[in-house]
């Protein structure tokens, strides 16, 4: 079982990877927010760590970016030495 601090690092890595994908695709926070039917402020708060996204929001972010959340989770987990 992972330690709480490891889980927090994975959460941060997932958000960072999704932010990277958004930037690689040339999407602004406003563009992604519109695809997800959320406010740009919500995306800003998630990406800056002010809010922790729910699994549902992470799934919507991944879908909005055209990536599989499972792939992002796997990348984030491997980055943590699992």
């Amino acid at each position: 079982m992972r330690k709480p601090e490891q889980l927090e690092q994975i959460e941060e890595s997932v958000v960072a990877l999704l932010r990277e994908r958004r930037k690689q695709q040339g999407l602004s926070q406003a563009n992604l927010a519109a695809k997800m039917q959320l406010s740009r402020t919500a995306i800003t708060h998630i990406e800056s760590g002010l809010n922790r996204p729910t699994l549902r929001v992470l799934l919507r972010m991944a879908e909005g970016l055209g990536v599989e959340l499972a792939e992002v989770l796997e990348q984030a987990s491997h980055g943590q030495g699992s």
Side-chain angles (χ1 to χ4, degrees), residues 30-43:
N31 296 139
L32 179 58
K35 283 182 159 191
M36 294 176 57
Q37 298 181 339
L38 289 175
S39 69
R40 182 199 54 80
T41 303
I43 301 299

Side-chain angles (χ1 to χ4, degrees), residues 36-53:
M36 294 176 57
Q37 298 181 339
L38 289 175
S39 69
R40 182 199 54 80
T41 303
I43 301 299
T44 300
H45 286 183
I46 290 167
E47 288 188 356
S48 67
L50 291 175
N51 290 349
R52 283 188 168 172

